[in-house]
Structure formats: structure tokens, C-alpha cells
Amino acid sequence: MWKSAHEHVLKLTVYEPGKPVEELARDLGLREEQIIKLASNENPLGPSPKALEAMRTTLERSHFYPDGGGYELRGAIAERLGIGFARENIVLGNGSNEIIEFIGHAFFRPGDEVVVARHSFAVYKLMAQLFGADTVEVPDPGFTADLDAMLAAITPRTRVLFLANPNNPTGTLVGQEAIDRFMAKVPPHVLVVFDEAYYEFLDEEAAPDVLKYVREGRNVVVMRTFSKIMGLANLRIGYGVTTPELAAVLQRTRQPFNANGIAQAGALAGLLDTEHMLRTRQITHEGREYLEKEFAAMGLEYVPSAANFVLVKVGDGNAVFQAMLRKGIILRAMGSYGLPEWIRISVGTMDQNHRCIEELRALATEGKLPA
Ligand SMILES: Cc1ncc(COP(=O)(O)O)c(C=O)c1O
């Protein structure tokens, strides 16, 4: 029977997530509190207290189906985005990952091409594979997306172009000017998806405005998530912002209750908790500066990051990942991204960052990091 599964499904690469804390606790016989996870770019401060309170209240209503249309949350997101946006521009996803899947359902056909930067978020390629589309990976010298090269990679078969900005796993950012030049030349048959999962970590002056392209009615989807700065990764809630026409198409591809009510309540309250967001941004900036300074002091090459993680070259990435696991610290090996010499470290609390650096320094002393 299994052999009769869809050919694209049989060939699908399996996504490798960060190792869960529970799993490492079982492996090492430790308590979960003894483990530090800096592997999935989560918020080390946890969810906003306001989100927690709202979710507790909604928990009592778990016997009701959620508002599948996400009326309140979509309205609040539109309001936050400002003039030119309404509920009709917003599509909720079970994580922003699901928005990628909606785009696949709506647009990918076998033989279509999906253009991505060489080192960008793995799920674009997985979704292209799932629907039988071909992924065109464009070199990204210096680990920054090369928009001219991505433009040059567009053919009549190109259906969608993904740009994660800031990008995961590199942390690099493409600025406004480059994006504007690029958008002036993108042909109308290509849907451009700006994945802004880490947008809220940017300083306001550095943050490019791509929502203007949605306002202008261009073929653009902007994806954002509550998993990162909002600290709600477990809840699985994210969204896409696009034209009402495109949003209506994406809405047709989703399950009736794809975003659960507890997640919607948490997201709604979290969205309004500016204080928690600003505090997260601040500890991220401080922690990132600390990590980058320490990497430099240790003579380790790293990619300066605009997000809440840093890509750092450690020689044998998998060996360092395994050695750190044994110390109770979960990092992310980058072999599946074609970067076997690198690991990605999420910014934690200062205590977590200190412990991570301490253990990396111990590995260096043992000769397990490049001299
Ligand atoms: C660039 C990027 N996009 C999207 C996601 C998916 O986030 P979620 O599905 O949790 O919203 C991630 C998660 O790591 C990411 O790094």
C-alpha cells in the first residue's frame, strides 16, 4: 500500500526540527529545567503574561469550536498594520508555516518553479516538493540574498519567489533600496512572498517596508508569526498579509478551524502587550551583541545577525552540536542546510548565553573548536 502513496510525498525530505527539551531530558536523565534550548529561535522570556491570562480564560471554553474566521484577531492585526489594511487582508495560519502550505495548495503545480536563496528557510523547498514543484536555489554570496541573481533566475515557469527577511538560518537582512529595485523589475506572473518571521526584532530604522506593496495591490504575501518575538511557538499561530483577492484564494485552502481559539486569544492579547515585545527585543539585542563579541574573541567566524540567532562556524557542526547536547545545551546543527561546519545559536537570556559561551570555551580548550 505505502508504495502507492503520491510520488512527491514518497520523495519528500523530512523537516529536522530543533531537538525538544523533553527528549534530551529523557536521553540524559536530567530534569527539563536543567536543559537550555537555543535551537529554534524561541522567546527565552516565554509568552507575554497577558497572553497567558487570556489563554487561561479561553481554556474554559475548550468545548466550543473556535471562531474559524478569526474575526477579532484578524481585525486587531489589520488595525496594528495601519491605514490601508482591513480584516480581508489577513489570513491566519497554524503557524506561518501553514501559510506557505496554503500558497502551495493555491499555486504550485508539478513543473512550476519556486525561487529561493541558497541558504533560506527549509520549509519553502519542502512545500515545493510536496506539490511537485521544482525549487531553484540562487547563490547568496556572504549569506545575503542576491536579489539581482534571484530576478535573473525567474523564468516563465516561476510561480513564487520566497524571501525571508531577516533570513533564517543566516540572520541577514536585505534593505529597502535593494527590495525596491527588485520589486520594480519582478514580472507580474510571480508571487513574491516576504517572510517576516523575525521582523519585530529589527530596529525601526532598519526595518524595510514591504507592506506598501500589498497596499499597492501587487502580487505579494507578507508572512509574520506569533512564534518568535511573541513567544507563542507552541500554540502554532501566524498570518499572511496580502490583497483581499489573494487572501480570499488562500482562505479557500485552509481547514475550517486551522487556528485554534486558545492560540487566537493568546495572540490577540500578546499583540497588545508592547512592553513584553520591547523587553524581548532589548534582551535579544544585548544577548546577540554578547554572543557575537564572544565569537569574535574566540576567533570564530560568524554571520552578523539582524534576528534572534547567530550562525557561527565551529568546524564540525554536528560534533559540536552533540558535545553541547551532552552538556544539556541544545543548539542547531546546520548539515541539513548544506552548512556542516556551522551551527546556529538562538539568543537566550543572559544566563543562558553565558552558560553556552562557557561550554563552547570549554570545548575550545579541549581542542574541539577551530584554533
Ligand atoms: C523564516 C521563518 N519562517 C517561518 C517560520 C515558521 O514559523 P511558525 O510556523 O512557527 O510561524 C520560521 C520558524 O523557524 C522561520 O524561521
Side-chain angles (χ1 to χ4, degrees):
M1 179 73 212
W2 66 269
K3 284 186 186 158
S4 64
H6 204 295
E7 184 194 350
H8 306 137
V9 175
L10 290 176
K11 283 197 199 145
L12 198 61
T13 320
V14 177
Y15 180 72
E16 279 179 43
K19 192 176 177 76
V21 170
E22 301 86 322
E23 193 178 306
L24 185 62
R26 273 197 307 273
D27 292 353
L28 298 183
L30 292 175
R31 278 179 289 112
E32 289 180 15
E33 312 79 75
Q34 294 172 289
I35 289 167
I36 294 177
K37 184 179 178 210
L38 302 175
S40 304
N41 310 335
E42 294 145 336
N43 185 333
L45 298 180
S48 131
K50 290 179 182 153
L52 281 176
E53 197 185 318
M55 290 191 286
R56 282 193 194 102
T57 307
T58 311
L59 211 51
E60 304 287 331
R61 298 172 56 80
S62 293
H63 55 303
F64 287 120
Y65 283 98
D67 171 7
Y71 184 89
E72 272 201 75
L73 179 58
R74 283 168 59 228
I77 292 168
E79 201 176 311
R80 177 55 60 96
L81 296 177
I83 295 171
F85 291 100
R87 196 170 279 115
E88 290 68 31
N89 293 101
I90 315 296
V91 184
L92 299 182
N94 192 265
S96 54
N97 268 341
E98 203 187 21
I99 305 293
I100 307 172
E101 190 176 337
F102 296 162
I103 292 167
H105 276 299
F107 295 108
F108 296 170
R109 297 184 194 94
D112 282 348
E113 288 174 351
V114 176
V115 174
V116 301
R118 169 72 188 88
H119 301 102
S120 66
F121 188 44
V123 175
Y124 313 142
K125 189 174 179 175
L126 298 187
M127 285 301 140
Q129 279 182 333
L130 182 61
F131 293 98
D134 301 322
T135 306
V136 177
E137 292 184 307
V138 179
D140 50 358
F143 290 125
T144 303
D146 178 344
L147 294 190
D148 288 332
M150 289 176 88
L151 267 178
I154 291 175
T155 72
R157 287 169 58 204
T158 306
R159 182 65 55 170
V160 176
L161 183 150
F162 285 98
L163 181 71
N165 206 34
N167 184 47
N168 175 19
T170 63
T172 50
L173 181 76
V174 180
Q176 188 76 58
E177 226 180 284
I179 291 174
D180 289 344
R181 265 188 282 120
F182 164 79
M183 285 303 292
K185 293 187 192 153
V186 174
H189 71 280
V190 176
L191 174 67
V192 179
V193 181
F194 291 100
D195 181 347
E196 295 192 331
Y198 302 97
Y199 175 84
E200 296 90 347
F201 291 102
L202 298 172
D203 287 323
E204 258 156 52
E205 326 79 70
D209 173 20
V210 292
L211 289 172
K212 67 179 177 184
Y213 293 114
V214 177
R215 268 192 241 105
E216 289 170 10
R218 297 285 300 271
N219 294 328
V220 161
V221 176
V222 181
M223 302 196 316
R224 296 207 183 152
T225 181
F226 290 93
S227 297
K228 305 300 176 183
I229 208 161
M230 299 284 178
L232 297 176
N234 202 337
L235 273 292
R236 312 305 304 126
I237 185 137
Y239 57 98
V241 186
T242 185
T243 61
E245 294 79 11
L246 260 170
V249 170
L250 298 183
Q251 292 284 14
R252 285 167 180 250
T253 68
R254 65 171 182 83
Q255 290 276 332
F257 305 107
N258 65 314
N260 76 76
I262 298 164
Q264 288 186 42
L268 183 61
L271 192 65
L272 305 176
D273 191 350
T274 312
E275 193 189 321
H276 185 260
M277 205 193 76
L278 291 177
R279 199 155 76 85
T280 304
R281 186 189 293 165
Q282 190 193 337
I283 68 138
T284 302
H285 286 191
E286 287 166 9
R288 190 177 66 203
E289 199 179 315
Y290 166 75
L291 290 176
E292 291 184 346
K293 197 169 77 318
E294 290 294 323
F295 296 151
M298 292 164 79
L300 298 176
E301 185 183 343
Y302 67 91
V303 183
S305 171
N308 64 338
F309 53 84
V310 186
L311 189 64
V312 56
K313 195 170 183 182
V314 292
D316 183 341
N318 196 46
V320 170
F321 164 71
Q322 295 292 346
M324 292 293 277
L325 276 186
R326 288 191 290 275
K327 295 164 185 279
I329 300 178
I330 312 175
L331 307 176
R332 193 71 160 261
M334 287 281 112
S336 62
Y337 280 90
L339 297 168
E341 297 178 316
W342 298 73
I343 51 172
R344 195 192 64 199
I345 304 183
S346 306
V347 179
T349 60
M350 227 14 145
D351 282 351
Q352 293 175 330
N353 299 331
H354 285 150
R355 197 167 136 219
C356 176
I357 290 295
E358 224 170 81
E359 298 293 4
L360 280 177
R361 282 193 177 277
L363 287 185
T365 311
E366 294 163 29
K368 291 182 182 147
L369 289 184

